[in-house]
Structures are given as C-alpha cells and as structure tokens.
Amino acid sequence: MTNSTTLTKDELVKLLREGKIEEFNQARPQPKVNLSEADLSLANLHGANLIKAYLSGANLSGANLSGADLCGADLRGANLRGADLYRANLFGANLFGANLREADLREVDLREADLFEANLCGADLYRAILYRVRGLSDEQKELIISQFKKSWE
C-alpha cells in the first residue's frame, strides 16, 4: 500500500481494527484523518499515528492506545473507558466530554490538552504530564491530587 492510495474512512477503520498499524500509518491522509464516530473498541492501536485525527464520538473503549501519537487529536465525546493509553502522546488533544473512566493514563503526555467535562473517575494518572492542562474542574483536580498522594505513600 502506498501513500498515493486514497482509502475511505471505512477502509482506514478496517486497517485499525485488524491491527495493521504500519499500513494505516502509511495510508492515512495528511495532515488530518477523519475517524469520527468510528467503532474501534478493543482494537490494538499500539503505536498508531493519530496526530490531529478527528475521533470525536469514536468508541475506543478497551482499546490499546499505548504509545500512540494523538497529538492535537479531536477526541470530543469519545468513549475511552478502560482504554490503555500508557505513554501515549495527547499533547494539545481536545478531550472535551470524553469518557476516560478507568483508563490507563500512566505516563501519558497531556500538556495543553482540554479535559473540560472529561470523566476521569478511576483513571490511573500516575506520572502523567499535566502541564497547562485546560478545563479541569475542582473535582478532577481533587481526584488527581488524591492519586498523587497515594503514589507517595
């Protein structure tokens, strides 16, 4: 598959669901790819290039996104419940209203990300980079602080 091949959204989603990450990374349109509302639940997306991807409303519940690059991605309203985002790059991502309940966010880069109304209940934020994160509610801040305190005990 070459970069000159133009794949449809369904074909790109199929590559991801089948774990063909290298093929997806080569075939994805630049600079942005539209995967909004896609069902990628339980998919193995380890190392996927999802820079500036439109994933608003996507179902990524239980997906393996460890090491994935989601820099600047639009994840508004996405379902990431129980997703593995260990060491993922979410720098500048829009997670407005995203469900991150019970997600593995250990060592994730969330610098300058928007977490307004995101559900972080039960998410593991150990060693997450939260510099200049936007939209954190007092409840979210308390949750993050309590996790940091537990990690020091």
Side-chain angles (χ1 to χ4, degrees):
M1 192 167 301
T2 66
N3 283 333
S4 62
T5 304
T6 303
L7 298 180
T8 66
K9 177 181 171 180
D10 289 340
E11 290 170 326
L12 291 167
V13 169
K14 184 178 180 195
L15 284 177
L16 290 172
R17 290 212 54 79
E18 292 175 353
K20 296 179 179 176
I21 303 307
E22 286 185 35
E23 287 181 48
F24 170 83
N25 288 345
Q26 291 175 5
R28 64 159 279 173
Q30 298 294 334
K32 298 181 181 183
V33 59
N34 182 3
L35 300 169
S36 59
E37 304 293 328
D39 182 3
L40 294 166
S41 58
L42 304 174
N44 183 0
L45 307 174
H46 173 77
N49 175 359
L50 296 166
I51 296 171
K52 295 185 180 179
Y54 290 111
L55 288 154
S56 57
N59 183 0
L60 295 153
S61 60
N64 177 5
L65 288 150
S66 61
D69 196 342
L70 293 136
C71 180
D74 182 348
L75 290 148
R76 288 174 294 162
N79 182 5
L80 292 141
R81 183 179 184 141
D84 180 356
L85 289 141
Y86 176 70
R87 288 194 170 173
N89 180 8
L90 287 157
F91 180 92
N94 186 346
L95 292 149
F96 180 93
N99 182 5
L100 293 157
R101 185 179 192 89
E102 299 165 1
D104 183 352
L105 298 171
R106 291 173 301 138
E107 298 184 32
V108 77
D109 185 349
L110 284 163
R111 288 175 296 156
E112 299 183 23
D114 183 354
L115 290 171
F116 188 74
E117 293 187 9
N119 181 351
L120 295 170
C121 194
D124 187 349
L125 289 151
Y126 179 73
R127 297 186 71 184
I129 303 169
L130 301 167
Y131 180 72
R132 298 184 74 183
V133 169
R134 298 181 304 276
L136 285 176
S137 67
D138 289 340
E139 183 180 338
Q140 289 169 317
K141 289 175 188 174
E142 287 178 29
L143 177 73
I144 292 166
I145 290 168
S146 71
Q147 280 196 17
F148 286 139
K149 285 181 179 177
K150 286 180 185 174
S151 70
W152 294 329
E153 294 174 350

